[in-house]
Amino acid sequence: MISCLIIDDEPFARQEVADLLDKHDDISILGQCANAIEALQQINLLKPDLIFVDIQMPRINGMELIAMLNPEQTPRAVFITAFDEYATKAFDNNAFDYLLKPIDETRFNRTLDKVRSNMTPQPMANILPSQLPHLPCYSGSKLKVVATADVEFIVSDVGGIHVYSAKGVSHTQLTLKALEEKTMLFRCHKQYLLSLNAISEIDITDTGAEVTTHLGAKVPVSRRYLKDLKQLLGFV
């Protein structure tokens, strides 16, 4: 049995895929997600074998969602797009699975046959964004999209990954490693990432340094990262 999630901001589009999948006894639908933040949570929780993901979702699109996932745990993906045939040549050239809206059932069934024959996730580095302009966050029961440019710093502790910005504190399921790789935030401590634009002043200490941000927060800088920070700021 192949487990899957359907990810699309349009309810009718999600239902269209669900109706087509209902005709296949070897496919189990774990759920439907209306945006990338819900999808990220469900993928991490349910670990589906396969996702059907719309590329053109608002705020955080399908490509950005895939870029947020752990490459070692990324499920097989079938992209859904309203692009014309010319635009989808990039997918054809890389042998990626995609479906054009409105979905043709014959093409849908061929795509499923292709997926069944090889469930190995495909390398996607060449089509995914290298930087994330937005971060999927939550605060209590509220889902939030935080612009990466607004982030002052991010800290990891036993309670999770906490994102500090001018709009307050929220939390994300992204790892510090993923955030370091996919944003311009600087690793200043084993538990902290820092925006260089957020630095108001730096106080040198015996163990490294302490940064004061424009919002008045205190962020530690380990000795091992202090030299790199000085270089980036033009002090060396």
Side-chain angles (χ1 to χ4, degrees):
M1 184 70 71
I2 299 172
S3 61
C4 76
L5 281 176
I6 303 168
I7 307 162
D8 197 309
D9 61 299
E10 300 176 359
F12 292 112
R14 295 197 302 271
Q15 191 57 50
E16 179 184 22
V17 175
D19 290 342
L20 290 169
L21 287 173
D22 281 342
K23 301 178 182 180
H24 299 267
D25 294 336
D26 61 333
I27 308 292
S28 171
I29 302 174
L30 299 179
Q32 301 183 17
C33 303
N35 56 63
I37 303 179
E38 289 181 3
L40 183 64
Q41 293 175 326
Q42 292 300 301
I43 290 171
N44 289 335
L45 176 66
L46 301 175
K47 295 178 173 52
D49 302 313
L50 172 67
I51 57 173
F52 293 86
V53 56
D54 183 25
I55 293 177
Q56 295 171 290
M57 295 187 293
R59 303 297 294 276
I60 299 174
N61 64 39
M63 292 296 189
E64 291 167 347
L65 167 63
I66 299 294
M68 294 172 183
L69 300 175
N70 183 341
E72 298 176 358
Q73 298 177 347
T74 300
R76 182 80 181 197
V78 173
F79 295 103
I80 301 174
T81 175
F83 293 166
D84 60 24
E85 289 289 351
Y86 176 80
T88 56
K89 285 184 178 179
F91 290 95
D92 283 332
N93 291 339
N94 289 283
F96 288 108
D97 304 314
Y98 73 89
L99 296 167
L100 281 176
K101 293 181 178 181
I103 297 173
D104 175 78
E105 185 169 4
T106 300
R107 173 59 188 265
F108 183 88
N109 291 337
R110 286 206 308 268
T111 297
L112 277 187
D113 287 339
K114 182 180 177 183
V115 168
R116 289 185 182 103
S117 67
N118 182 9
M119 286 298 298
T120 304
Q122 297 162 295
M124 298 186 190
N126 60 329
I127 65 168
L128 298 180
S130 60
Q131 297 288 304
L132 297 176
H134 299 93
L135 304 181
C137 297
Y138 61 92
S139 180
S141 61
K142 294 182 179 179
L143 301 179
K144 294 186 174 183
V145 177
V146 177
T148 306
D150 293 338
V151 174
E152 279 209 336
F153 67 96
I154 297 176
V155 58
S156 171
D157 61 23
V158 294
I161 309 294
H162 314 293
V163 180
Y164 287 76
S165 72
K167 297 181 180 179
V169 184
S170 54
H171 318 282
T172 183
Q173 291 191 333
L174 298 181
T175 65
L176 276 190
K177 180 181 178 182
L179 290 162
E180 182 180 12
E181 293 174 349
K182 293 292 184 177
T183 71
M184 296 299 291
L185 297 171
F186 173 74
R187 169 80 72 164
C188 64
H189 185 279
K190 65 179 181 180
Q191 293 176 263
Y192 285 81
L193 298 178
L194 173 68
S195 168
L196 300 184
N197 294 327
I199 296 174
S200 175
E201 63 180 49
I202 302 176
D203 181 26
I204 304 300
T205 68
D206 293 338
T207 58
E210 183 177 72
V211 165
T212 301
T213 71
H214 291 300
L215 294 177
K218 304 293 185 179
V219 178
V221 180
S222 299
R223 185 181 287 111
R224 65 175 295 192
Y225 298 111
L226 183 56
K227 182 178 179 180
D228 289 341
L229 178 61
K230 288 180 176 179
Q231 287 178 335
L232 289 171
L233 295 175
F235 292 132
V236 176

